[in-house]
Amino acid sequence: MIRLLRYAKNYRKHIILGPVFKFLEAVFELLLPLLMASLVDDGISKGDFQKVKTMTIAMIILSIVGLLCAVVCQYFASIASQGFGTELRNQLMKKINQLSHEELDLFGTDTLITRMTNDINQLQTALAMLIRLVVRAPFLSVGAVFMAFYIDWQIGLVFLLVLPIFCLILFFIIQKSVPMYQKVQEHLDRVNELVTQNLSGVRVIRAFARRKTEQERFNNATDKLSKIYLKVTNLSALLTPATTLLMNLGIIAIFYLGGFKVDAGRLQQGQVLALVNYMNQMLLALIVVSNLVVIFTRAQASGIRVNEIFDVIPKVQDKKETKNEIEEIDGSVRFDHVDFRFSDKFGLALEDIDFQIDGEKTVGIIGPTGSGKTAITQLIPRFYEASAGRVFFSGVNVSQWPLNKLREQIAMVPQTAVLFTGTIRENLQWGKKDATDQECWEALTIAQSKYFVQALPKGLDTPIFEGGKNFSGGQKQRLTIARALIAKPKLLILDDSLSALDYQTDLKLRQALKKLPQTVIIISQRVRSIQDADQILVMDSGHLIGNGNHQSLMKTCQAYQEIVYSQAENKQGEDGHE
C-alpha cells in the first residue's frame, strides 16, 4: 500500500496537517483526567467551589477545542482519501488501457472491475483512517502509560504489562487474517464474474431454461464467499473482546492496588479515578488499533492486487526505433513468415503466414471457426505481438509505427457489435471527435444505415441504451461500421461484421465500400460476402492454404471449393424448402 501513496502527492498538506490536529485533540484528551483529579481532590474533597468552577470551565474549553481539532482532521482526511482514490482510479484505468490484449486476457474483465472499485475503496478507507487515527490511537496508548507513571509508578507497571499482551494478540490475528482477506477478494472476483455473465446473458439463460442452474451456481459462489468472510471476520472480531477483557482486568488491578494506597494516604481518590480513565483511554485506543489492523490488513491485500496491474510491463508499446514520420500511407499489408500464439501456455494460433495485400484493395478472409482469421487482423494494429516473423503496414514494420498513429490509420469493426450508452451522434463521434452532421450522414449512407436512422423520431440524437439493446443485430452492425468509416481510415477491417445483414444490404454495403480510397479486409463465413474481393485468403488450423481471387481458388484450392459447394447446396436446400 505504501507504494501507492505516491498517488496522494497532491494532498500532502492534508495528510500532514490532519494528523497534527488529531495529535492536538489527543493531547487535550490526556489532560482531561488530570483536571478531573484536581476537581475531585482539590475542589470537591476540600469544599473549594471556586476550584470546581475553574476546573469545570477548563474541561469544557479543552473538550470544545478538541472537538474542533477533530472536525478539521476529519475534513482533511475526507479530501485526501477521496482525492487519492480518484487519482488512483484514473491512473489504474490509464494503465489498463496501455495493456496489450494478451495482458487483458490474462487478468480478465471481472477481476479488473473488482480491483478498480472494491480494492480501491479499501485503500481509500485505509488512508482516511491513517490520517484520522494512526497518530491518535498510539499516542493515547503510550501517553496514558506515561501519565499513569506520572501519578503512581507502581500502578503504571500495570499499564506497561497490558501493552505487550495486546501486541501478541494483535500479531497472531494479523498473521492469520492477511491470507484470508486475499482469498476474500478472489472469491469476490468470482461472484462479480457470475453477476456479469448472468446480467449480460439473461436472455440466453431464459431461452435455455437455465435459471435454476445459474441460481445454484451463483448461490454456491456466494456461499463460499460468505464462509471465508465469516471465518476472517470472526477471527478479526476476537480483537475487541480480548481488548475489553484486558481493560477490565487492568481496571480491577487499579482499584485493588489503588484502594490500598488510598488507605495508606499515598494516593488520592481523584487520582484513582484519573488512573481508571487513563486505563479506559488506553484500552479504547487499543480497540481502535485493533480495528485499524483489520482495515489495513484488507488494504494490504487490496494494495497487492492493485500493484499487480501497475507492475505489468506491457508487451506492446512504442519502441526506440519508432518512426515518427511515415512518408506514404497506402494501406498495404504484408505478412513475412509470421508465427503467433496468444500465450506461452498455448500452441501456435498462426504458423508461417506469408502474403501481400496491395493498397486500396478489397480482401476477403475465409475459413473454419478457429482457423486464425481474426488473429491475422489483430496483429496489424499490434493488439498482439507476432511470435516470429514480421508484419508490415504501408511498407513499414508495425513495430516501428507509433502505436497511436498506427491505430489512427486502421479502423476495426469486431465480431460483436459494441455500442456505448449515449446517442447515435455521440457513438459516431468515437470515430472522429469533431464529426459534423453531414459527415455522420455520409458515413451512415455508406453503411446502409441512413434510412432507418432518418425514420427515428430524434434522428442522430436517438438515445442508445446499454449495449445498443434498443436496436436489432443488423442495425447495430451497420452503426458500428458507420462509426469506423467516419474516421476515413486507410485500412478498414470488418471481422465477421456482415453476418446479421440480409444479402441485399450486404451487397449494397460492399459495393459502397469498393468506391472508397482505402483497403478493406472482410472476414466472413459466407462466400457470397467475399467472392467479389480482389484477393481471398483461405485459412485452416492456423495455416494459409489458399491465396488468390475467387476464380483462381476454385481451380487450385480444394478447401475453398468445399466451402463454396457446401454453401451452394445449403442455398439450394433452402430454396427447395421454400
Side-chain angles (χ1 to χ4, degrees):
M1 179 185 169
I2 294 175
R3 287 173 53 196
L4 297 173
L5 287 177
R6 64 181 182 272
Y7 298 109
K9 62 183 179 181
N10 294 330
Y11 304 94
R12 288 174 183 167
K13 179 183 74 174
H14 305 84
I15 294 173
I16 294 170
L17 291 179
V20 169
F21 280 97
K22 205 65 177 176
F23 175 79
L24 292 175
E25 183 214 358
V27 171
F28 297 145
E29 194 168 338
L30 282 174
L31 292 176
L32 285 174
L34 285 181
L35 295 178
M36 185 190 68
S38 177
L39 184 148
V40 172
D41 296 332
D42 300 331
I44 296 175
S45 297
K46 297 178 180 179
D48 186 350
F49 293 104
Q50 183 61 37
K51 186 72 172 180
V52 172
K53 182 180 178 181
T54 302
M55 290 298 102
T56 301
I57 293 172
M59 290 175 71
I60 291 172
I61 292 172
L62 283 181
S63 298
I64 292 173
V65 174
L67 175 62
L68 292 174
C69 289
V71 169
V72 172
C73 175
Q74 184 80 3
Y75 174 73
F76 285 148
S78 299
I79 292 177
S81 61
Q82 293 302 316
F84 164 69
T86 300
E87 180 65 19
L88 185 55
R89 281 193 184 89
N90 291 339
Q91 293 301 320
L92 189 61
M93 178 59 76
K94 182 179 178 181
K95 178 69 176 184
I96 290 171
N97 282 322
Q98 292 174 350
L99 300 179
S100 69
H101 285 207
E102 182 177 343
E103 285 107 28
L104 292 174
D105 295 341
L106 176 66
F107 283 108
T109 303
D110 303 297
T111 185
L112 290 175
I113 292 172
T114 305
R115 296 178 200 219
M116 182 74 71
T117 53
N118 185 273
D119 285 316
I120 291 182
N121 286 342
Q122 301 294 342
L123 293 166
Q124 277 183 279
T125 303
L127 180 61
M129 295 301 105
L130 177 73
I131 297 170
R132 290 170 49 197
L133 298 173
V134 164
V135 171
R136 179 182 183 276
F139 178 75
L140 277 180
S141 300
V142 176
V145 173
F146 276 105
M147 298 305 289
F149 271 94
Y150 173 76
I151 295 173
D152 187 279
W153 71 269
Q154 290 178 325
I155 295 181
L157 293 174
V158 175
F159 286 72
L160 207 58
L161 180 64
V162 168
L163 275 176
I165 297 174
F166 174 80
C167 291
L168 285 174
I169 297 171
L170 203 59
F171 174 77
F172 170 77
I173 292 177
I174 291 173
Q175 191 179 40
K176 295 292 183 182
S177 59
V178 169
M180 289 186 186
Y181 277 119
Q182 291 177 339
K183 288 183 179 179
V184 165
Q185 298 303 111
E186 290 170 5
H187 284 290
L188 190 59
D189 286 344
R190 175 58 179 162
V191 170
N192 282 341
E193 179 185 349
L194 291 175
V195 169
T196 303
Q197 289 178 0
N198 277 272
L199 291 177
S200 61
V202 63
R203 292 188 174 106
V204 178
I205 292 169
R206 290 174 180 174
F208 283 87
R210 298 275 296 180
R211 282 186 295 177
K212 189 172 182 181
T213 304
E214 289 303 310
Q215 284 174 0
E216 289 175 357
R217 286 180 66 201
F218 184 76
N219 288 339
N220 289 335
T222 52
D223 286 344
K224 289 179 181 178
L225 175 62
S226 175
K227 286 177 183 177
I228 187 70
Y229 224 138
L230 283 172
K231 190 174 181 180
V232 69
T233 302
N234 288 337
L235 179 63
S236 301
L238 289 175
L239 274 170
T240 299
T243 307
T244 304
L245 176 63
L246 281 174
M247 179 174 67
N248 289 329
L249 290 174
I251 289 172
I252 290 171
I254 289 172
F255 279 128
Y256 181 78
L257 295 174
F260 286 113
K261 287 180 176 289
V262 169
D263 286 341
R266 288 181 292 171
L267 206 62
Q268 298 184 59
Q269 295 174 352
Q271 290 177 317
V272 173
L273 288 176
L275 287 168
V276 171
N277 273 328
Y278 283 128
M279 178 60 73
N280 283 326
Q281 282 184 357
M282 185 184 79
L283 272 302
L284 287 173
L286 291 179
I287 290 175
V288 170
V289 170
S290 68
N291 291 328
L292 285 176
V293 168
V294 174
I295 291 170
F296 287 132
T297 300
R298 297 194 66 178
Q300 175 67 15
S302 295
I304 291 171
R305 286 160 53 84
V306 172
N307 276 317
E308 281 179 2
I309 300 174
F310 283 119
D311 290 340
V312 172
I313 300 175
K315 289 188 176 180
V316 177
Q317 52 185 318
D318 289 331
K319 297 185 177 181
K320 292 180 180 179
E321 61 271 21
T322 296
K323 291 185 177 181
N324 292 319
E325 296 294 332
I326 309 296
E327 293 180 2
E328 183 180 353
I329 303 174
D330 59 7
S332 64
V333 176
R334 182 161 72 89
F335 274 57
D336 181 16
H337 300 285
V338 172
D339 292 346
F340 168 68
R341 53 168 51 89
F342 285 99
S343 170
D344 295 335
K345 299 178 182 179
F346 301 102
L348 288 173
L350 297 174
E351 186 173 358
D352 195 29
I353 304 299
D354 191 81
F355 64 85
Q356 168 78 35
I357 298 174
D358 295 330
E360 298 186 10
K361 298 293 184 181
T362 299
V363 179
I365 304 180
I366 196 168
T369 301
S371 58
K373 304 185 296 297
T374 299
I376 285 178
T377 58
Q378 299 277 328
L379 295 179
I380 303 171
R382 283 188 74 200
F383 291 150
Y384 296 93
E385 290 278 28
S387 304
R390 296 175 297 170
V391 180
F392 294 87
F393 176 68
S394 295
V396 179
N397 193 321
V398 293
S399 64
Q400 294 181 309
W401 275 82
L403 274 177
N404 286 340
K405 190 169 184 179
L406 173 65
R407 292 172 183 173
E408 283 174 358
Q409 305 301 323
I410 302 171
M412 178 175 284
V413 183
Q415 291 172 317
T416 304
V418 178
L419 294 173
F420 298 92
T421 304
T423 64
I424 291 177
R425 178 187 284 104
E426 289 170 347
N427 271 263
L428 293 178
Q429 287 175 340
W430 274 66
K432 185 179 180 184
K433 291 182 180 179
D434 57 350
T436 62
D437 285 5
Q438 182 181 350
E439 289 175 312
C440 290
W441 286 116
E442 286 176 359
L444 290 170
T445 301
I446 297 171
Q448 309 303 306
S449 307
K450 179 180 178 180
Y451 297 109
F452 88 78
V453 174
Q454 280 182 332
L456 297 170
K458 294 185 179 180
L460 291 174
D461 294 314
T462 300
I464 294 177
F465 299 161
E466 182 185 0
K469 292 178 181 176
N470 54 327
F471 291 100
S472 68
Q475 289 173 333
K476 286 195 289 186
Q477 283 191 341
R478 283 179 281 169
L479 287 173
T480 53
I481 292 170
R483 183 176 60 198
L485 288 170
I486 205 169
K488 296 181 180 178
K490 285 295 182 180
L491 172 61
L492 174 65
I493 299 172
L494 303 178
D495 186 358
D496 205 15
S497 307
L498 310 178
S499 57
L501 305 184
D502 60 83
Y503 290 126
Q504 187 177 7
T505 305
D506 183 347
L507 177 61
K508 289 180 179 179
L509 175 58
R510 286 185 285 109
Q511 288 174 340
L513 291 176
K514 273 209 165 190
K515 298 176 183 178
L516 299 177
Q518 61 187 20
T519 305
V520 180
I521 296 177
I522 301 174
I523 298 175
S524 181
Q525 300 287 357
R526 299 193 310 204
V527 173
R528 185 171 292 190
S529 295
I530 63 168
Q531 64 183 8
D532 295 329
D534 300 305
Q535 182 179 353
I536 299 173
L537 306 177
V538 184
M539 298 295 299
D540 186 27
S541 301
H543 295 84
L544 179 62
I545 60 173
N547 184 0
N549 58 28
H550 176 74
Q551 289 74 21
S552 64
L553 290 173
M554 287 299 293
K555 297 176 183 178
T556 60
C557 183
Q558 183 179 352
Y560 184 73
Q561 295 168 14
E562 291 174 356
I563 294 171
V564 173
Y565 292 145
S566 65
Q567 292 190 16
E569 289 172 2
N570 290 338
K571 180 70 169 58
Q572 290 173 1
E574 291 171 4
D575 293 343
H577 179 72
E578 290 175 354

